[in-house]
Each structure stands twice: as structure tokens, then as C-alpha cells.
Amino acid sequence: MDIDKFYQDQLIKITQEAAISVYPHLGKNNKIAADEAATNSMRTNLNKMNIKGNIVIGEGEMDEAPMLYIGEKVGTKNGPELDIAVDPLEGTNFAAKNLPGAISVIAISNKNDLFHAPESYMEKISYPHGIDKSAIDLDFTLKKNLSNLADSKNKKFESLRICVLDRPRHKKIIDEAKSLNINVKLISDGDVSGALLVTEEKHNIDLFIGTGGGPEGVLAASALDAYDCGFQGRFIFDTDELKKRANKMGIKDFDKKYKLDEIIKGDSLFCASGITKGDLVNGLDLRNNKMFVNTLITHKSQNMKKIVTGEIDIIK
Ligand code: VTB
């Protein structure tokens, strides 16, 4: 069953307002306060929706997050059962330092269509539309993935560009890219945006690869699905506690590589509003008591992928 178009406007409003709530915190060096503002705003607005919402990706586990924790029920309970994934403030460091790349993100699906997993790391790889899904794999070498990509896209191997989170754990990937003479875009945080740089030619990224947050992986997968791009993810359940939690959620094979259609099973809607200017969307822009907010919205069944600009009156 497709998700009603009606929810598009509601979701845009939710991420717009969460983004605006972060505005007073920009550059104040307090990422906790910034995150709290966004989470509060998102939760308040989700609770106004006529849905039976279940947070499947949230701010953490129930015992560690006071709001929008995994398993929290949101909405008025009058309406359809939906799964909800949120990252009210993706890029808390960016917001705290007023640096580019902070966004507010949400994705929804019908019940049981978004992957349920405990908060853990995930190895992930995303790549553009039109590439044979068996050509790219987390277990291939970077060289093999890139030569398959070059063949599929009819591009020169040396002209390919990859995006990687700048972390010591990615030394091997970065070194291999260097030895292959491949250009790397290193990002300091924000791998929802990073993974989505493969969606459009204008970003000039052919492959996103590396280990980041699992929740961010599931969120990005929703938009990647609407763009018909490729994605593979493997959760890292490397402690007994994580294994126990994963098991409780029905995960039996801890090393499984998930395909996009196993992470996002049916229709989904994704929204990301810009807080500070980034690669995907512009940042908040306050002019004459009006806040202009840029939002990327995708809706798989509607084949929708567009950026809208909201104009919201700010009462002084
Ligand atoms: C990523 C990124 C986030 O954390 O998931 C990353 O999307 C995970 O890696 O924006 P580290 O724990 O090494 O930071 C962020 O950078 C911050 O939540």
C-alpha cells in the first residue's frame, strides 16, 4: 500500500520547524542544547499527527534517550500505523559550530517496512542509479567496485570520485583510493548527506563508502530508494549487548549484508530540511522576519524527488 500524498506536507512542516528550532543555537558550541531543541520540536509535531506512529530509528534506546527513543509511540492514535525514522539534528557538531551540513531528517513507511535495528554502526555503500546491483559489494575491493562502476557508467576509472567519512577507521579505503589515483571527498560528519551525494550528477560523487551510524544508513536508504540508486549495508553488532538487542528485534544473522529492498521494504517518504548550508539543501535564511527553509522531499511511490522552499513568519 502506498503512503498517502497528504503526509508530504505534514513531514515538510515537521522538519522545517525542527530546523528552525535549532537556529538560536547555531554557533553556540552546545550540541546537546541544539539537538534537544530539534528533538523537542519534532516530537511535539509528530504527536499532533493523526497516526499510530512507532519510532523505529530514533535518538537512542529507551533507557538512554528521554525523547523519540526506539519504540516510542507517537501521534494521536487516530490513523494508520506508520514506522518512523528520525534524526532531528543530523550533524550536531555542524550546528554547534555553525558549519555547513546540518540538516533535520525524517522518514516514514507503513508498519514494518523500515528496518528495525538497535543503534549500532553500519558499513555502507551507495552508488548511482542504473548500475547492476551485483556489480557493487561491500566485500569487493575498492578497485573492483570502481572498475565495475566505470564500466557501467562508461566513465574513465580515474575520473571517478568517492565520498568517505574522515575517520581513522577508513585509512585503508583512503590509502587505497590514493594508490588508485582516485579523488576523495572527505566529510567530517553527516553521512546521511554523504550517502545521498550519489543521487544526482551535480554532486559529482560516484560512490559513498565506509562505516557510520546505522540509523543514518536506514534514513539515507529511504531517499536512495526513491532515486532508484543502489545501497548495501551491514550492521556491526560487535558487543554482547548489541547482539542481544538485535536478537530481540528478530535479527538472527549478525553479519548479513542487507540490500536496499530489505532495509526499506515498501513505499517510503523522506524529508531533510537544511539548517546550515550543505551539499543537498541550503541553510536557514532569515530575512525581514521570514525564515526561508529548504527541504528535500522524496516519495518513492510518487516518483517524487524535489526541493521546496518554505517561507515561515517568525514572530518577534
Ligand atoms: C555518522 C554521521 C554523523 O556520526 O553516522 C557518524 O552521519 C558516525 O561516526 O553525523 P562517529 O561515531 O565516528 O562520529 C556523525 O558524524 C555524528 O553523529
Side-chain angles (χ1 to χ4, degrees), residues 24 85 107 109 132 175 200 211 226 235-236 245 270:
S109 74
D132 177 2
D175 285 352
E200 297 199 30
T211 301
F235 293 93
I236 303 180
R245 284 181 166 167
F270 168 97

Side-chain angles (χ1 to χ4, degrees), residues 266-298:
D267 191 21
S268 73
L269 246 157
F270 168 97
C271 250
S273 290
I275 298 170
T276 55
K277 185 175 169 40
D279 289 320
L280 297 179
V281 279
N282 286 328
L284 296 168
D285 180 12
L286 181 61
R287 270 179 281 146
N288 304 326
N289 292 340
K290 280 190 192 308
M291 188 70 92
F292 293 86
V293 196
N294 227 215
T295 302
L296 167 68
I297 169 147
T298 73

